[in-house]
Every structure is written in structure tokens, then in C-alpha cells.
Amino acid sequence: GQNIDQPTEMTATEGAIVQINCTYQTSGFNGLFWYQQHAGEAPTFLSYNVLDGLEEKGRFSSFLSRSKGYSYLLLKELQMKDSASYLCAVDTDKLIFGTGTRLQVFP
Amino acid sequence: DTGVSQNPRHKITKRGQNVTFRCDPISEHNRLYWYRQTLGQGPEFLTYFQNEAQLEKSRLLSDRFSAERPKGSFSTLEIQRTEQGDSAMYLCASSSTTGTGGIPTNEKLFFGSGTQLSVL
């Protein structure tokens, strides 16, 4: 079966750092994506990991450990506009999404 | 090309009616996906195409749902005899695949804005 787990909700303060974890068990693995989705809008691409390690892109970084079936998204210097849902998705030829983590950033 | 386009943006229908949605992917993308999303959940895979071939259809998809991509460009998703449980956002996404050792892997998916279906 396909199983992707991430926390349902997280809260953080403006300027802080937050880490959103994702664990997965899937039949097949081509890579792992993170998407951001604001309420009422389509998901937008944030990052893609295919090899183990950390990928950094500005304030956002994503880490992958294939042997552990684990990834995290790290958001630094949080801003109010980062309040959104963050979706972990595994590429098994099609993308299988987790339920998403709703992040609320408070002033 | 400005991205993935979906029509209509909103659809309200009565239970038992048929509805059809259209998706125009990014023109050079060979893969096209349909997802369904309800409030507080991640997108749920429905089906996908590589060019005009439908490669997979979710087991969760009843026979009331059918999708086509006749010329490998735009796609339609039809729901027959709609039920209230079909109310959701229907998202279309497209991507291109690159081969590494003959194994295609997705480049990032680009999503359309979705069609919000409400079944009364």
C-alpha cells in the first residue's frame, strides 16, 4: 500500500524556524516533492529531492533519507505569508500526496 | 503558454446530472493527471495519461467517472449521475518526463486552478 504521514497542523511565530516532517511507505520511489498550497488555490512547487541529503533554496530547505523513508521541509525566517498547507508527495510514476500540514504563522 | 488551464472554475449541479470538466495542460508536457481534493485533505489521485494513453486509474474511481485525452493534448473528466459525495475540487496537473536509464521520472507537476464541483 501507499502511506504518507505528516502532522496535521503546526503553529509558529514570525521570524522563527519550523520543520515539517514527512514519513512514507510506498511501492516504488522516484523522488519526493514538497508543495505549498494557500487556501482556495492550487498547489505550487517548492522542492524536489531524489538523492539523500539537503537541498537548499532560499528560506526553504528540504531533506531526504531514502533508507529511513523520511523527509522534512525546513522554513526559516518565517513570514505571515508562509501560512499555508504544505504537502509532501512521493513520485511513484504518479504523485501520491500526504494529507498536508496546515501551518499558521503568528505575529 | 501561461500554464495549466481548467474550465469551468466552478460548477453547481443537481444530484443525478452529468458534468464534464476540461483541462488544457502546458503544451510540451506529455503527462496529464487528474486529482480530487476535499477540504483539509491532500490531493487524491484519480487517473493519469502519458500522451493519449491512460496509464492508470485509481481503484477508488467508480465507473461513473471517465477521462479522455484523445489527441494527447487537452483532457476531459466526466462524472455521470453525480452524487453529493462527488463534491470536491478537481485538479488537473501536467508534467514532462525525463528518462534516466530508460526510467521516466516526473519533473515537477504544474497544477491548474481546479474546478470546484458542488452537487446539491
Side-chain angles (χ1 to χ4, degrees):
Chain A
Q2 318 279 36
N3 198 38
I4 299 173
D5 286 318
Q6 41 180 143
T8 306
E9 287 193 9
M10 297 183 73
T11 59
T13 307
E14 204 173 10
I17 299 173
V18 71
Q19 177 174 312
I20 302 174
N21 296 324
C22 171
T23 57
Y24 63 89
Q25 286 179 306
T26 57
S27 53
F29 180 88
N30 297 327
L32 188 142
F33 290 82
W34 284 95
Y35 279 80
Q36 181 190 60
Q37 187 176 28
H38 285 99
E41 298 182 11
T44 55
F45 170 82
L46 286 179
S47 69
Y48 177 51
N49 293 70
V50 69
L51 299 175
D52 289 355
L54 190 67
E55 294 278 343
E56 296 186 81
K57 193 189 288 187
R59 295 190 298 116
F60 293 3
S61 304
S62 57
F63 171 83
L64 175 67
S65 168
R66 288 171 299 170
S67 62
K68 295 181 179 176
Y70 168 68
S71 173
Y72 68 72
L73 179 70
L74 194 70
L75 293 77
K76 302 176 188 173
E77 300 166 19
L78 281 172
Q79 302 174 9
M80 297 295 291
K81 67 178 183 179
D82 297 329
S83 294
S85 286
Y86 291 85
L87 301 163
C88 173
V90 173
D91 180 3
T92 65
D93 252 12
K94 57 186 183 285
L95 261 63
I96 306 295
F97 285 85
T99 54
T101 298
R102 197 173 126 209
L103 173 67
Q104 287 186 285
V105 180
F106 292 101
Chain B
D1 192 288
T2 56
V4 179
S5 175
Q6 290 188 246
N7 288 289
R9 287 296 306 274
H10 303 275
K11 179 71 178 178
I12 300 173
T13 191
K14 291 183 180 177
R15 193 174 49 189
Q17 298 292 305
N18 299 342
V19 293
T20 301
F21 311 140
R22 177 177 169 127
C23 172
D24 288 89
I26 293 172
S27 57
E28 63 268 25
H29 283 181
N30 59 341
R31 283 205 174 169
L32 186 148
Y33 298 79
W34 285 99
Y35 286 86
R36 176 171 63 190
Q37 188 174 27
T38 53
L39 204 60
Q41 300 296 313
E44 175 191 27
F45 170 77
L46 295 179
T47 188
Y48 84 104
F49 295 82
Q50 179 146 318
N51 300 313
E52 64 275 7
Q54 187 172 18
L55 295 190
E56 189 172 341
K57 188 174 171 180
S58 169
R59 289 172 299 164
L60 301 173
L61 215 59
S62 78
D63 56 8
R64 296 184 297 107
F65 288 70
S66 62
E68 293 183 345
R69 194 184 183 197
K71 296 180 182 177
S73 56
F74 74 92
S75 175
T76 57
L77 176 69
E78 182 183 15
I79 310 174
Q80 295 182 324
R81 305 181 303 282
T82 52
E83 301 172 356
Q84 287 184 324
D86 297 331
S87 296
M89 174 74 83
Y90 289 84
L91 292 166
C92 175
S94 69
S95 71
S96 62
T97 54
T98 55
T100 304
I103 302 171
T105 58
N106 273 308
E107 295 183 357
K108 56 188 175 181
L109 260 66
F110 291 83
F111 282 86
S113 298
T115 295
Q116 181 66 52
L117 173 66
S118 298
V119 182
L120 305 178

